[in-house]
Short mmCIF file of all heavy atoms in Angstrom, two decimals:
data_model
loop_
_atom_site.label_atom_id
_atom_site.label_comp_id
_atom_site.label_asym_id
_atom_site.label_seq_id
_atom_site.Cartn_x
_atom_site.Cartn_y
_atom_site.Cartn_z
N ILE C 1 43.20 -8.76 -24.43
CA ILE C 1 42.79 -9.43 -23.19
C ILE C 1 41.41 -8.93 -22.78
O ILE C 1 40.53 -9.73 -22.42
CB ILE C 1 43.81 -9.20 -22.05
CG1 ILE C 1 45.14 -9.85 -22.40
CG2 ILE C 1 43.28 -9.75 -20.74
CD1 ILE C 1 46.27 -9.48 -21.45
N THR C 2 41.21 -7.62 -22.84
CA THR C 2 39.91 -7.04 -22.50
C THR C 2 38.82 -7.60 -23.42
O THR C 2 37.73 -7.96 -22.96
CB THR C 2 39.95 -5.51 -22.60
OG1 THR C 2 40.91 -5.02 -21.66
CG2 THR C 2 38.59 -4.89 -22.30
N ASN C 3 39.12 -7.71 -24.71
CA ASN C 3 38.15 -8.28 -25.65
C ASN C 3 37.85 -9.74 -25.33
O ASN C 3 36.69 -10.18 -25.40
CB ASN C 3 38.65 -8.15 -27.08
CG ASN C 3 38.66 -6.73 -27.58
OD1 ASN C 3 37.99 -5.86 -27.03
ND2 ASN C 3 39.45 -6.46 -28.60
N SER C 4 38.86 -10.50 -24.95
CA SER C 4 38.65 -11.91 -24.58
C SER C 4 37.80 -12.02 -23.32
O SER C 4 36.91 -12.86 -23.24
CB SER C 4 40.00 -12.60 -24.36
OG SER C 4 40.71 -12.69 -25.55
N ILE C 5 38.08 -11.16 -22.35
CA ILE C 5 37.30 -11.17 -21.11
C ILE C 5 35.86 -10.78 -21.39
O ILE C 5 34.92 -11.42 -20.89
CB ILE C 5 37.94 -10.25 -20.05
CG1 ILE C 5 39.25 -10.85 -19.55
CG2 ILE C 5 36.98 -10.00 -18.89
CD1 ILE C 5 40.05 -9.95 -18.63
N THR C 6 35.66 -9.77 -22.23
CA THR C 6 34.30 -9.33 -22.59
C THR C 6 33.54 -10.44 -23.31
O THR C 6 32.37 -10.69 -23.02
CB THR C 6 34.36 -8.06 -23.45
OG1 THR C 6 35.04 -7.03 -22.72
CG2 THR C 6 32.97 -7.58 -23.84
N ALA C 7 34.21 -11.12 -24.22
CA ALA C 7 33.57 -12.22 -24.95
C ALA C 7 33.20 -13.35 -23.99
O ALA C 7 32.10 -13.92 -24.08
CB ALA C 7 34.49 -12.73 -26.06
N MET C 8 34.10 -13.67 -23.07
CA MET C 8 33.81 -14.74 -22.12
C MET C 8 32.68 -14.31 -21.19
O MET C 8 31.82 -15.14 -20.85
CB MET C 8 35.05 -15.09 -21.31
CG MET C 8 34.82 -16.25 -20.37
SD MET C 8 36.33 -16.79 -19.59
CE MET C 8 36.31 -18.50 -20.07
N LYS C 9 32.64 -13.05 -20.82
CA LYS C 9 31.57 -12.56 -19.95
C LYS C 9 30.22 -12.72 -20.64
O LYS C 9 29.26 -13.19 -20.03
CB LYS C 9 31.81 -11.10 -19.58
CG LYS C 9 30.75 -10.54 -18.66
CD LYS C 9 31.06 -9.10 -18.27
CE LYS C 9 29.97 -8.55 -17.36
NZ LYS C 9 30.27 -7.15 -16.97
N GLN C 10 30.15 -12.37 -21.92
CA GLN C 10 28.90 -12.53 -22.66
C GLN C 10 28.50 -14.00 -22.75
O GLN C 10 27.33 -14.34 -22.61
CB GLN C 10 29.03 -11.92 -24.07
CG GLN C 10 29.11 -10.42 -24.07
CD GLN C 10 27.91 -9.77 -23.40
OE1 GLN C 10 26.76 -10.16 -23.60
NE2 GLN C 10 28.18 -8.78 -22.55
N SER C 11 29.48 -14.85 -22.97
CA SER C 11 29.21 -16.28 -23.03
C SER C 11 28.70 -16.80 -21.69
O SER C 11 27.74 -17.58 -21.64
CB SER C 11 30.49 -17.02 -23.43
OG SER C 11 30.29 -18.40 -23.43
N LEU C 12 29.31 -16.35 -20.59
CA LEU C 12 28.88 -16.78 -19.26
C LEU C 12 27.49 -16.25 -18.92
O LEU C 12 26.69 -16.95 -18.29
CB LEU C 12 29.89 -16.35 -18.20
CG LEU C 12 31.24 -17.07 -18.24
CD1 LEU C 12 32.19 -16.46 -17.22
CD2 LEU C 12 31.07 -18.56 -18.02
N LEU C 13 27.20 -15.02 -19.33
CA LEU C 13 25.86 -14.48 -19.11
C LEU C 13 24.82 -15.31 -19.85
O LEU C 13 23.75 -15.60 -19.31
CB LEU C 13 25.78 -13.01 -19.55
CG LEU C 13 26.47 -12.00 -18.64
CD1 LEU C 13 26.56 -10.64 -19.33
CD2 LEU C 13 25.72 -11.88 -17.32
N ASN C 14 25.16 -15.72 -21.06
CA ASN C 14 24.27 -16.58 -21.84
C ASN C 14 24.12 -17.95 -21.16
O ASN C 14 23.01 -18.47 -21.06
CB ASN C 14 24.79 -16.74 -23.26
CG ASN C 14 23.82 -17.48 -24.14
OD1 ASN C 14 22.64 -17.15 -24.19
ND2 ASN C 14 24.31 -18.48 -24.84
N ASP C 15 25.23 -18.50 -20.68
CA ASP C 15 25.17 -19.79 -19.97
C ASP C 15 24.31 -19.68 -18.72
O ASP C 15 23.53 -20.58 -18.41
CB ASP C 15 26.58 -20.26 -19.58
CG ASP C 15 27.39 -20.77 -20.76
OD1 ASP C 15 26.80 -20.99 -21.84
OD2 ASP C 15 28.61 -20.95 -20.58
N LEU C 16 24.45 -18.59 -17.99
CA LEU C 16 23.65 -18.39 -16.77
C LEU C 16 22.17 -18.31 -17.12
O LEU C 16 21.34 -18.95 -16.46
CB LEU C 16 24.10 -17.12 -16.04
CG LEU C 16 23.35 -16.78 -14.76
CD1 LEU C 16 23.45 -17.91 -13.73
CD2 LEU C 16 23.87 -15.47 -14.18
N LYS C 17 21.84 -17.58 -18.17
CA LYS C 17 20.44 -17.47 -18.60
C LYS C 17 19.90 -18.85 -18.97
O LYS C 17 18.81 -19.23 -18.56
CB LYS C 17 20.35 -16.52 -19.79
CG LYS C 17 18.95 -16.36 -20.33
CD LYS C 17 18.92 -15.47 -21.55
CE LYS C 17 17.51 -15.45 -22.11
NZ LYS C 17 17.46 -15.03 -23.49
N GLN C 18 20.69 -19.60 -19.72
CA GLN C 18 20.24 -20.93 -20.13
C GLN C 18 20.10 -21.86 -18.93
O GLN C 18 19.16 -22.65 -18.86
CB GLN C 18 21.20 -21.52 -21.16
CG GLN C 18 21.11 -20.83 -22.50
CD GLN C 18 22.03 -21.47 -23.52
OE1 GLN C 18 23.09 -21.99 -23.19
NE2 GLN C 18 21.62 -21.42 -24.78
N ALA C 19 21.03 -21.77 -18.00
CA ALA C 19 20.96 -22.63 -16.80
C ALA C 19 19.70 -22.33 -16.01
O ALA C 19 19.04 -23.24 -15.51
CB ALA C 19 22.20 -22.43 -15.93
N LYS C 20 19.33 -21.06 -15.92
CA LYS C 20 18.11 -20.69 -15.20
C LYS C 20 16.87 -21.22 -15.91
O LYS C 20 15.86 -21.48 -15.26
CB LYS C 20 18.03 -19.17 -15.05
CG LYS C 20 18.99 -18.63 -14.02
CD LYS C 20 18.86 -17.13 -13.86
CE LYS C 20 19.80 -16.64 -12.78
NZ LYS C 20 19.69 -15.21 -12.55
N GLU C 21 16.96 -21.36 -17.23
CA GLU C 21 15.84 -21.89 -18.01
C GLU C 21 15.83 -23.41 -18.04
O GLU C 21 14.95 -24.01 -18.65
CB GLU C 21 15.91 -21.33 -19.43
CG GLU C 21 15.69 -19.83 -19.50
CD GLU C 21 15.96 -19.25 -20.88
OE1 GLU C 21 16.45 -19.97 -21.79
OE2 GLU C 21 15.70 -18.05 -21.05
N GLY C 22 16.84 -24.04 -17.43
CA GLY C 22 16.89 -25.49 -17.39
C GLY C 22 17.55 -26.12 -18.59
O GLY C 22 17.49 -27.34 -18.78
N VAL C 23 18.21 -25.30 -19.43
CA VAL C 23 18.91 -25.82 -20.60
C VAL C 23 20.26 -26.38 -20.16
O VAL C 23 20.92 -25.84 -19.27
CB VAL C 23 19.13 -24.69 -21.64
CG1 VAL C 23 19.95 -25.17 -22.82
CG2 VAL C 23 17.79 -24.14 -22.10
N ILE C 24 20.67 -27.47 -20.77
CA ILE C 24 21.97 -28.07 -20.46
C ILE C 24 23.07 -27.17 -21.03
O ILE C 24 23.02 -26.78 -22.19
CB ILE C 24 22.08 -29.49 -21.06
CG1 ILE C 24 21.05 -30.40 -20.41
CG2 ILE C 24 23.49 -30.04 -20.90
CD1 ILE C 24 20.94 -31.76 -21.06
N ILE C 25 24.05 -26.85 -20.19
CA ILE C 25 25.17 -26.03 -20.65
C ILE C 25 26.46 -26.82 -20.48
O ILE C 25 26.56 -27.70 -19.63
CB ILE C 25 25.26 -24.70 -19.88
CG1 ILE C 25 25.40 -24.92 -18.38
CG2 ILE C 25 24.04 -23.83 -20.18
CD1 ILE C 25 25.70 -23.67 -17.60
N ASP C 26 27.44 -26.52 -21.32
CA ASP C 26 28.74 -27.20 -21.27
C ASP C 26 29.75 -26.29 -20.60
O ASP C 26 30.13 -25.27 -21.16
CB ASP C 26 29.19 -27.56 -22.68
CG ASP C 26 30.53 -28.28 -22.70
OD1 ASP C 26 31.02 -28.67 -21.61
OD2 ASP C 26 31.08 -28.46 -23.79
N ILE C 27 30.16 -26.65 -19.40
CA ILE C 27 31.14 -25.85 -18.67
C ILE C 27 32.50 -26.52 -18.64
O ILE C 27 33.41 -26.03 -17.97
CB ILE C 27 30.65 -25.54 -17.24
CG1 ILE C 27 30.44 -26.83 -16.45
CG2 ILE C 27 29.40 -24.69 -17.26
CD1 ILE C 27 30.18 -26.63 -14.98
N SER C 28 32.68 -27.57 -19.39
CA SER C 28 33.90 -28.36 -19.33
C SER C 28 35.15 -27.60 -19.78
O SER C 28 36.24 -27.88 -19.32
CB SER C 28 33.76 -29.64 -20.14
OG SER C 28 33.56 -29.34 -21.51
N LYS C 29 34.99 -26.64 -20.68
CA LYS C 29 36.15 -25.92 -21.20
C LYS C 29 36.46 -24.64 -20.41
O LYS C 29 37.49 -24.02 -20.63
CB LYS C 29 35.92 -25.58 -22.67
CG LYS C 29 35.83 -26.81 -23.54
CD LYS C 29 35.55 -26.47 -24.97
CE LYS C 29 35.41 -27.77 -25.76
NZ LYS C 29 34.94 -27.56 -27.09
N LEU C 30 35.59 -24.28 -19.49
CA LEU C 30 35.78 -23.03 -18.76
C LEU C 30 37.06 -22.98 -17.93
O LEU C 30 37.76 -21.96 -17.95
CB LEU C 30 34.57 -22.73 -17.89
CG LEU C 30 33.28 -22.40 -18.64
CD1 LEU C 30 32.14 -22.19 -17.66
CD2 LEU C 30 33.46 -21.18 -19.52
N PRO C 31 37.42 -24.03 -17.20
CA PRO C 31 38.66 -23.95 -16.42
C PRO C 31 39.88 -23.64 -17.27
O PRO C 31 40.70 -22.78 -16.91
CB PRO C 31 38.76 -25.32 -15.75
CG PRO C 31 37.34 -25.79 -15.66
CD PRO C 31 36.70 -25.28 -16.92
N GLU C 32 40.01 -24.30 -18.40
CA GLU C 32 41.16 -24.05 -19.28
C GLU C 32 41.13 -22.63 -19.84
O GLU C 32 42.16 -21.94 -19.88
CB GLU C 32 41.19 -25.07 -20.42
CG GLU C 32 42.35 -24.89 -21.37
CD GLU C 32 43.71 -25.11 -20.73
OE1 GLU C 32 43.81 -25.86 -19.75
OE2 GLU C 32 44.68 -24.50 -21.20
N GLN C 33 39.96 -22.17 -20.27
CA GLN C 33 39.84 -20.81 -20.78
C GLN C 33 40.21 -19.78 -19.72
O GLN C 33 40.89 -18.80 -20.01
CB GLN C 33 38.42 -20.55 -21.29
CG GLN C 33 38.06 -21.35 -22.52
CD GLN C 33 36.59 -21.23 -22.88
OE1 GLN C 33 35.76 -20.87 -22.06
NE2 GLN C 33 36.26 -21.56 -24.12
N LEU C 34 39.75 -20.02 -18.50
CA LEU C 34 40.08 -19.10 -17.41
C LEU C 34 41.56 -19.11 -17.09
O LEU C 34 42.15 -18.06 -16.81
CB LEU C 34 39.26 -19.44 -16.16
CG LEU C 34 37.80 -19.03 -16.22
CD1 LEU C 34 37.04 -19.63 -15.05
CD2 LEU C 34 37.67 -17.52 -16.23
N MET C 35 42.17 -20.27 -17.11
CA MET C 35 43.61 -20.35 -16.84
C MET C 35 44.42 -19.59 -17.89
O MET C 35 45.38 -18.88 -17.55
CB MET C 35 44.07 -21.81 -16.76
CG MET C 35 43.55 -22.55 -15.55
SD MET C 35 44.01 -21.78 -13.98
CE MET C 35 45.78 -21.96 -14.02
N VAL C 36 44.04 -19.71 -19.14
CA VAL C 36 44.73 -18.98 -20.21
C VAL C 36 44.56 -17.48 -20.01
O VAL C 36 45.53 -16.71 -20.08
CB VAL C 36 44.21 -19.43 -21.60
CG1 VAL C 36 44.72 -18.51 -22.69
CG2 VAL C 36 44.61 -20.86 -21.88
N LEU C 37 43.33 -17.05 -19.75
CA LEU C 37 43.09 -15.62 -19.50
C LEU C 37 43.86 -15.14 -18.28
O LEU C 37 44.46 -14.05 -18.30
CB LEU C 37 41.60 -15.35 -19.30
CG LEU C 37 40.78 -15.09 -20.55
CD1 LEU C 37 39.31 -14.92 -20.19
CD2 LEU C 37 41.28 -13.90 -21.31
N HIS C 38 43.85 -15.93 -17.23
CA HIS C 38 44.57 -15.56 -16.02
C HIS C 38 46.06 -15.38 -16.30
O HIS C 38 46.69 -14.43 -15.84
CB HIS C 38 44.38 -16.61 -14.93
CG HIS C 38 45.12 -16.30 -13.68
ND1 HIS C 38 46.39 -16.78 -13.45
CD2 HIS C 38 44.80 -15.54 -12.61
CE1 HIS C 38 46.81 -16.34 -12.28
NE2 HIS C 38 45.86 -15.58 -11.75
N GLN C 39 46.61 -16.27 -17.09
CA GLN C 39 48.03 -16.18 -17.44
C GLN C 39 48.31 -14.88 -18.20
O GLN C 39 49.28 -14.19 -17.93
CB GLN C 39 48.46 -17.38 -18.28
CG GLN C 39 49.92 -17.40 -18.62
CD GLN C 39 50.80 -17.51 -17.39
OE1 GLN C 39 50.45 -18.16 -16.41
NE2 GLN C 39 51.95 -16.87 -17.42
N HIS C 40 47.43 -14.53 -19.14
CA HIS C 40 47.61 -13.30 -19.89
C HIS C 40 47.50 -12.07 -18.98
O HIS C 40 48.27 -11.12 -19.12
CB HIS C 40 46.60 -13.20 -21.03
CG HIS C 40 46.83 -14.19 -22.13
ND1 HIS C 40 48.03 -14.32 -22.80
CD2 HIS C 40 46.01 -15.11 -22.67
CE1 HIS C 40 47.93 -15.27 -23.70
NE2 HIS C 40 46.72 -15.77 -23.64
N VAL C 41 46.54 -12.10 -18.06
CA VAL C 41 46.40 -10.99 -17.12
C VAL C 41 47.65 -10.88 -16.25
O VAL C 41 48.17 -9.78 -16.02
CB VAL C 41 45.13 -11.15 -16.25
CG1 VAL C 41 45.11 -10.14 -15.11
CG2 VAL C 41 43.87 -11.00 -17.11
N ALA C 42 48.16 -12.01 -15.80
CA ALA C 42 49.35 -12.01 -14.93
C ALA C 42 50.57 -11.46 -15.65
O ALA C 42 51.45 -10.87 -15.02
CB ALA C 42 49.62 -13.43 -14.44
N GLU C 43 50.61 -11.60 -16.97
CA GLU C 43 51.76 -11.14 -17.74
C GLU C 43 51.69 -9.67 -18.13
O GLU C 43 52.65 -9.14 -18.69
CB GLU C 43 51.90 -11.99 -19.01
CG GLU C 43 52.27 -13.42 -18.74
CD GLU C 43 52.15 -14.32 -19.95
OE1 GLU C 43 51.69 -13.84 -21.02
OE2 GLU C 43 52.51 -15.51 -19.84
N THR C 44 50.60 -8.98 -17.83
CA THR C 44 50.46 -7.57 -18.23
C THR C 44 51.28 -6.67 -17.30
O THR C 44 51.68 -7.06 -16.21
CB THR C 44 48.99 -7.10 -18.19
OG1 THR C 44 48.49 -7.24 -16.87
CG2 THR C 44 48.14 -7.86 -19.17
#
């Protein structure tokens, strides 16, 4: 779970950097990814 959160954090940091540069980013899958991670955290 920690590795998944770390990987998502790196991805989000990259998305934030790109958004600041005006690059189009795809955030459509983020809600589902967060829900899955949240479920795993809730089960710990």
Side-chain angles (χ1 to χ4, degrees):
I1 295 171
T2 299
N3 290 341
S4 294
I5 290 173
T6 301
M8 184 173 236
K9 181 178 179 180
Q10 290 303 317
S11 177
L12 290 175
L13 286 169
N14 187 50
D15 286 347
L16 180 59
K17 179 183 175 200
Q18 289 182 329
K20 286 182 178 182
E21 294 172 353
V23 176
I24 296 172
I25 58 171
D26 181 9
I27 60 171
S28 63
K29 296 178 183 171
L30 292 177
E32 180 65 27
Q33 292 171 340
L34 285 170
M35 291 302 295
V36 169
L37 273 177
H38 178 267
Q39 183 63 34
H40 291 305
V41 170
E43 293 169 355
T44 61

